[in-house]
Amino acid sequence: MPPAKDTKTDTVISLTDRGFSQIAALYEKQRLKLGGGRLQIGSYLCGSYFRALCSAVTPAQLPESYDLVLPVLAQRDLSLLEDSKAQDLISGARALVVNDPGMLRRFGSGAQVRLGRLFFRAYRDHRYPQYEESASGEESMRALVKALRELGYHFYAVEREAIGSTLPSPEDGVPVPYYHLPYRLISGMRICEYASAEKAIEKKFRPDAACRLQCLRYHIRYEDKAFANAYIKFGRGLYDLAPRDAARGTNLIITPELSEDLQK
């Protein structure tokens, strides 16, 4: 991984969906490890976590420069955007990461916006080289970027998953790419099994269910030794491990190992 002091690249340390009380310490640990890097907080997939974050954290508790990830919110959670604490976090962010057209429409003209990883869903499976080396994801990204720009939306960068051992070369007219390491999102879901813990059977596994953030205490990891990889279930996301050296020399969004900060 290139250090943040490399002036040709940008490094973001992503602490999305992490314990609120541990964000500052974990960020400082990773910043020293990498030689720099900007903090990113928020959530890609969970409105429940984002609501709790807005209640628990203020801009004064964060570094002067931070990025904020806005999740795809359920209909009932859209009112959260009008909450004064949420607005403080949003207005204080250096950049907003949006993950659906609705958020892009709301914030795409008034802030520095990055298109989040949920905009670019390409099939990936480390077990099959033909998927890993396919250029279909790149083609769909360019088509979507072109369509959004023709509709008048503004954004300065896009987030990508590192698929395959060789990443595409930058092209004129294509937004700056940021690549996620080491966790590569395979699938996201509205149903969270952690939210079902301690609930009666008839109330389990409901979309966007209220919870007590049990995900901050647990994650599931299955080692896929045959392919020197793993599957990781964390919060509402299922991940595997990106090719370790694929994104060297590019803008990176680095997520610290989950085992470093799980609450006991």
Side-chain angles (χ1 to χ4, degrees):
M1 298 177 185
K5 63 184 179 182
D6 182 348
T7 58
K8 295 181 180 180
T9 62
D10 186 24
T11 300
V12 177
I13 299 171
S14 180
L15 295 177
T16 55
D17 297 296
R18 309 298 270 257
F20 312 133
S21 63
Q22 297 165 319
I23 287 177
L26 188 56
Y27 169 63
E28 184 63 19
K29 177 181 178 181
Q30 294 299 314
R31 190 181 66 82
L32 293 174
K33 178 180 178 180
L34 297 171
R38 185 172 65 260
L39 173 65
Q40 175 173 284
I41 60 170
S43 179
Y44 286 92
L45 295 165
C46 186
S48 296
Y49 174 91
F50 188 74
R51 181 180 293 276
L53 173 74
C54 293
S55 297
V57 177
T58 67
Q61 298 170 292
L62 299 170
E64 182 177 353
S65 181
Y66 66 91
D67 295 354
L68 180 66
V69 181
L70 304 177
V72 179
L73 293 174
Q75 185 71 27
R76 71 180 187 193
D77 290 326
L78 291 176
S79 60
L80 175 61
L81 298 176
E82 307 301 331
D83 180 81
S84 60
K85 292 183 177 180
Q87 290 182 353
D88 287 343
L89 278 180
I90 291 170
S91 62
R94 172 191 178 275
L96 295 178
V97 181
V98 299
N99 287 282
D100 66 278
M103 290 294 188
L104 178 59
R105 182 175 182 180
R106 182 179 181 110
F107 296 107
S109 59
Q112 190 174 30
V113 169
R114 189 163 72 239
L115 297 188
R117 66 201 310 180
L118 298 187
F119 264 100
F120 307 106
R121 303 186 186 191
Y123 188 82
R124 57 193 67 91
D125 193 324
H126 61 254
R127 299 172 298 174
Y128 301 103
Q130 59 268 36
Y131 290 121
E132 289 295 291
E133 302 302 333
S134 171
S136 61
E138 189 68 15
E139 294 168 1
S140 62
M141 182 276 289
R142 289 196 294 266
L144 178 58
V145 165
K146 180 181 178 181
L148 291 174
R149 283 179 165 172
E150 288 176 349
L151 291 171
Y153 294 120
H154 302 282
F155 42 89
Y156 79 97
V158 298
E159 293 186 5
R160 310 295 308 281
E161 308 294 347
I163 303 175
S165 57
T166 304
L167 298 179
S169 300
E171 296 183 16
D172 292 339
V174 176
V176 175
Y178 282 72
Y179 288 94
H180 284 269
L181 288 179
Y183 301 110
R184 184 174 65 167
L185 183 65
I186 297 175
S187 180
M189 55 216 74
R190 293 178 59 199
I191 295 176
C192 178
E193 68 267 36
Y194 302 116
S196 296
E198 304 171 9
K199 292 183 178 179
I201 187 65
E202 63 272 13
K203 295 184 179 181
K204 290 182 179 290
F205 307 115
R206 294 186 175 182
D208 304 309
C211 69
R212 294 190 289 114
L213 300 183
Q214 292 93 330
C215 60
L216 299 183
R217 300 192 299 273
Y218 309 103
H219 76 278
I220 301 168
R221 181 177 175 122
Y222 172 78
E223 299 295 336
D224 190 1
K225 295 182 180 179
F227 295 91
N229 209 305
Y231 294 101
I232 302 99
K233 180 66 174 63
F234 178 62
R236 294 189 186 182
L238 176 65
Y239 305 83
D240 70 356
L241 301 176
R244 193 165 189 83
D245 295 325
R248 186 176 298 277
T250 68
N251 300 304
L252 296 179
I253 300 173
I254 299 173
T255 300
E257 291 289 340
L258 296 173
S259 59
E260 293 189 29
D261 72 324
L262 286 177
Q263 297 179 2
K264 305 299 184 183

